[in-house]
Amino acid sequence: MENRFIRAEEVADELGVSKPYAYKLIRQLNEELKDKGFITIAGRVNRQYFNERLQKGRELNASL
């Protein structure tokens, strides 16, 4: 079973960014989830939500 949460190291590898920037992105995504009423874990983000937001970003870039 795949882990439900993605950590900063995986985010950094997936996006090709530094680990500190990955933590910044995780904080941003977790704030979005908190605003929607979800419970979050510092330093980790829900993998499904991360993938959804990543896909939206890719779709936006492709339309530009």
Side-chain angles (χ1 to χ4, degrees):
M1 182 176 156
E2 186 177 28
N3 194 342
R4 291 184 186 202
F5 294 92
I6 186 169
R7 296 175 184 247
E9 291 174 1
E10 290 180 79
V11 171
D13 289 342
E14 178 79 23
L15 301 178
V17 298
S18 67
K19 200 168 168 184
Y21 189 73
Y23 277 111
K24 181 178 178 178
L25 292 173
I26 289 171
R27 280 192 298 275
Q28 179 182 338
L29 294 173
N30 277 338
E31 282 299 317
E32 293 174 11
L33 287 168
K34 283 181 190 177
D35 290 344
K36 294 179 180 186
F38 291 94
I39 297 171
T40 62
I41 300 173
R44 301 175 189 189
V45 68
N46 179 280
R47 185 178 301 273
Q48 180 180 348
Y49 187 70
F50 171 77
N51 288 330
E52 288 172 7
R53 294 286 280 126
L54 183 63
Q55 185 62 35
K56 285 182 185 178
R58 288 181 177 157
E59 289 171 0
L60 179 62
N61 285 335
S63 69
L64 295 178

